[in-house]
Structures are given as C-alpha cells and as structure tokens.
C-alpha cells in the first residue's frame, strides 16, 4: 500500500511539474558543480544568468563555438562600449558549472561582432540587464546574449518560492494593432521622444524590425517629407530612439553604395533604412502616413497607415495599401 501511495504521489508531482509555468532548471553536466544561486534569495540576477547559460549549453546544436558571460551588456551602437565583467569568483564558479564557458577576456568586440581573441571564431556574450526587484522575492529583467550584431534577449519574471528562484517568461505590456508587432515594454527613459504621429509610427516599425530574428545587421531610421530617405533625424531625437533600441545605428552608418544598395559605412555589410514619410493630418487627432523600409533600389516595402490619437497616445493601423519594389 505504501508503495502504491508513493507511486501515486510521484505521478501527481510529475503532472504538476508538466503543468507548471516555471521554466526548467537544467542539471549540471557530469563532474560539474552546483552554484547555489537558485537557492540564494540574494542572487536572483545570477540565477537568471545561470538559467540562460544552462538553456544554451543544453542545446545539441550551438551556433557560437565560444561563449562568455558578463555582468552587464554592452551598447552596440557606442563604439567604445564594452560589457562589464562579472566578479572573478562568480565567473570562476560559472565556468566550473559550465565547462564550455570561457572567461570574458576571451570574447572581444570587433566592430559590431564578438569574436574569440585566440581563434577569431564567432562568439557570444551572455548577460542580464534592466533587472529590477520590486520586492526581495519578485524580480523582472532581460537575459540572453549578444553576438554578431544580433541579440537573443528575452524578458523574464522571477519569484522566490519554496526556497529557490523560479523563472517564467514575462509577457510584455504591449498594444497590438492590425498588421503590427509588439511594442517595447513601458520604461522611463532619460531622453523623451516627441509626442507626434510620425514618431509613433516610426517606433511601431522599429518594434517590428527588432522583434524579428531575421534582419539585416545594421538598421537606421528617419522621417522624411518626400519619398527619399537621406536626411538624419534631429540629434536629440535620434539619441532618444537609440536609447530605446540599442541596436539602432546612427543614420550616417547607412549609406548608398553605387546608388544600388544600402550598406553599413563601417562594416560594408548590407543595411536597412526604416522611414516614415508623406504625413498628412486632416484633424488634430487623425492622420495618415506611409511607413516602411528600403535596402536597395529594388528592395523596399512601404504601407499606408491611419493614425488616431486614443486615450492620450497615437495608435497606428495599416489601411491595406502598400508598395513593394
């Protein structure tokens, strides 16, 4: 009878685990150690970093042969930016936990790429950033990696339950509109953006761009009155956008090569320009505009949007009209 009760308890526990919203905790490889970060209420940030590293090293096919970890991300569009190192004892413990992890000193920035200092192979740097704890047992933040001009960051919520940190994906507070993707989560920024319909549409376009894993390495943005997109935004507006979108490049980085394709002025790789143009407002709270992207003379898409101001914010919806070249 006791054996039957134990069996039933195990089945119920497995069923509850299967239904749990918490993400799995990856067991150490043979010979590796436990860090204790999950069980320490004072180390939620390190527990989240351990989770992302565990998820990566559990993959059979790993896209980056060299992987490092940092205490804070670097800002890609700032050439002098470098990731902040972990405490040496923390880095050593994570390397003991993940034998495939390299010291941060082995991962070097080269333009927008991350490479191994010894082999020059493609590398990735894992980090946790924008991490906030509203109370000692509840935190939220981004975790993932940066590599080769792209990132694999996701947003998570952490709760300290039954003596350990539990992690779950956090849904961002977003607005969905017809034909558009997610908006960035609400956040207080140092540099405010102008409250205009053109800026509202441009941020919709950039939200869609940076939510896609399949994109050009370099992205620039502008607002134009005509159909061409050669003029940069005012400096304070561009800086405010780059604060919200760390992967957004200054407009001067996107140049036309032989008047045929858009490329990165530094790396020479293909680039894309997102733009809003032909804005027309029939009423103070109702406008239309065209928004889209261009990467070559025969590589562009644009759509017409209707913009309406609702409850103090501009909402963009596609009208159905579009142009592809």
């Amino acid at each position: 009878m006791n054996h039957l009760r134990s069996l039933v308890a195990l089945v119920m526990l497995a069923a509850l685990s299967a239904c749990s919203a918490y993400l799995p905790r990856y067991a150490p490889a043979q010979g590796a150690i436990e860090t204790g970060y999950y069980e320490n209420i004072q180390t939620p940030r390190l527990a989240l970093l351990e989770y992302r590293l565990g998820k990566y090293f559990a993959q059979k096919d790993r896209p980056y042969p060299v992987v490092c970890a940092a205490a804070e991300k670097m800002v890609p569009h700032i050439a002098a930016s470098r990731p902040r190192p972990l405490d040496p004892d923390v880095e050593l413990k994570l390397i003991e936990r993940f034998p495939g992890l390299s010291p941060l000193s082995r991962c070097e920035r080269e333009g927008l790429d991350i490479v191994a200092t010894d082999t020059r192979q493609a590398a990735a740097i894992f980090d946790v950033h924008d991490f906030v704890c509203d109370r000692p047992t509840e935190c939220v933040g981004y975790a993932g990696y940066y590599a080769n001009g792209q990132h694999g960051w996701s947003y998570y919520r952490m709760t300290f339950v039954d003596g350990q940190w539990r992690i779950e994906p956090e849904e961002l507070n977003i607005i969905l509109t017809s034909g558009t993707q997610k908006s960035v989560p609400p956040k207080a920024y140092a540099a405010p953006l102008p409250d205009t319909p053109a800026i509202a549409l441009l941020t919709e376009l950039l939200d869609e761009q940076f939510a896609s894993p399949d994109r050009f390495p370099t992205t620039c943005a502008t607002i134009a009155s005509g159909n061409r997109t050669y003029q940069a935004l005012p400096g304070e507006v561009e800086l405010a956008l780059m604060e919200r979108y760390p992967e957004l490049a200054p407009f001067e980085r996107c140049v036309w090569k032989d008047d045929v394709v858009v490329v990165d002025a530094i790396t020479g790789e293909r680039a894309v320009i997102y733009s809003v143009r032909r804005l027309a407002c029939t009423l103070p709270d109702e406008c239309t505009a065209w928004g889209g992207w261009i990467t070559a003379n025969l590589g562009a898409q644009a759509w017409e949007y209707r913009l309406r101001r609702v409850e103090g914010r501009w909402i963009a919806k596609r009208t159905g009209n579009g142009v592809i070249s």
Side-chain angles (χ1 to χ4, degrees):
M1 179 64 70
N2 289 336
H3 177 72
L4 180 60
R5 287 176 179 172
S6 298
L7 182 60
V8 171
L10 286 172
V11 171
M12 291 178 66
L13 181 60
L16 287 172
S17 298
C19 296
S20 174
Y22 297 128
L23 296 168
R25 179 174 173 176
Y26 295 93
Q30 186 174 3
I33 68 163
E34 287 278 11
T35 63
Y37 295 142
Y38 272 88
E39 290 78 19
N40 189 341
I41 196 172
Q42 297 182 348
T43 57
R45 191 180 188 119
L46 294 176
L48 183 55
L49 180 59
E50 180 178 343
Y51 163 74
R52 282 307 308 249
L53 289 169
K55 180 180 179 181
Y56 180 80
F57 285 114
Q59 296 179 118
K60 183 177 180 181
D61 298 318
R62 302 170 192 162
Y64 303 102
V66 177
V67 171
C68 305
E72 185 61 66
K73 70 171 184 176
M74 72 173 198
V75 182
H77 70 269
I78 299 178
S81 177
R82 297 294 183 272
R84 181 164 59 86
L86 293 162
D87 179 87
D89 291 339
V90 170
E91 185 177 65
L92 180 59
K93 185 175 286 189
L94 286 173
I95 291 174
E96 291 175 344
R97 169 69 172 82
F98 302 103
L101 183 66
S102 295
L104 183 60
S105 59
R106 194 185 175 201
C107 290
E108 177 181 65
R109 177 172 183 170
E110 193 173 79
L112 291 178
D113 295 339
I114 304 296
V115 298
T117 56
D118 48 1
T119 64
R120 314 310 294 177
Q121 291 175 291
I125 299 176
F126 280 74
D127 70 80
V128 173
H129 61 273
D130 290 341
F131 194 79
V132 178
C133 294
D134 293 328
R135 51 179 59 91
T137 57
E138 292 184 8
C139 307
V140 292
Y142 288 90
Y145 65 87
Y146 176 84
N148 297 334
Q150 300 189 31
H151 70 79
W153 292 314
S154 298
Y155 200 52
Y156 298 95
R157 175 169 293 278
M158 303 182 67
T159 310
F160 198 76
V161 179
D162 297 329
Q164 65 176 306
W165 286 105
R166 301 286 191 175
I167 304 170
E168 54 191 322
E170 173 72 354
E171 291 295 329
L172 301 178
N173 184 14
I174 59 174
I175 291 179
L176 296 179
T177 58
S178 176
T180 61
Q181 299 292 325
K182 298 178 180 179
S183 299
V184 294
K187 179 183 174 182
Y189 294 99
L193 280 170
D195 184 15
T196 66
I199 287 292
L201 178 52
L202 186 59
T203 56
E204 287 279 352
L205 296 172
L206 292 175
D207 286 344
E208 183 175 353
Q209 160 74 344
F210 292 117
S212 171
D214 185 20
R215 59 179 182 268
F216 290 108
T218 302
T219 300
C220 303
T222 188
I223 296 172
S225 56
N227 288 326
R228 303 309 294 264
T229 55
Y230 288 112
Q231 188 172 359
L233 291 164
E236 65 277 10
V237 176
E238 188 172 67
L239 285 174
L241 281 171
M242 289 193 294
E243 183 186 3
R244 286 157 176 76
Y245 306 98
E247 293 183 80
L248 183 67
F251 189 76
E252 62 188 19
R253 287 276 300 278
C254 292
V255 298
W256 282 88
K257 181 179 180 180
D258 300 326
D259 290 325
V260 176
V261 297
V262 182
V263 299
D264 187 312
I266 296 176
T267 66
E269 296 183 20
R270 292 287 295 277
V272 61
I273 300 172
Y274 274 78
S275 67
V276 172
R277 55 187 184 271
R278 295 166 60 184
L279 176 70
C281 296
T282 55
L283 295 171
D285 58 356
E286 290 190 12
C287 306
T288 58
W290 284 76
W293 53 264
I294 186 167
T295 187
N297 283 337
L298 295 178
Q301 292 188 20
W303 304 270
E304 185 184 41
Y305 289 82
R306 180 170 290 107
L307 296 113
R308 297 181 64 245
R309 194 164 180 81
V310 179
E311 296 181 352
R313 65 184 303 173
W314 289 99
I315 303 297
K317 293 185 178 182
R318 289 184 188 174
T319 65
N321 297 326
V323 176
I324 299 176
S325 66

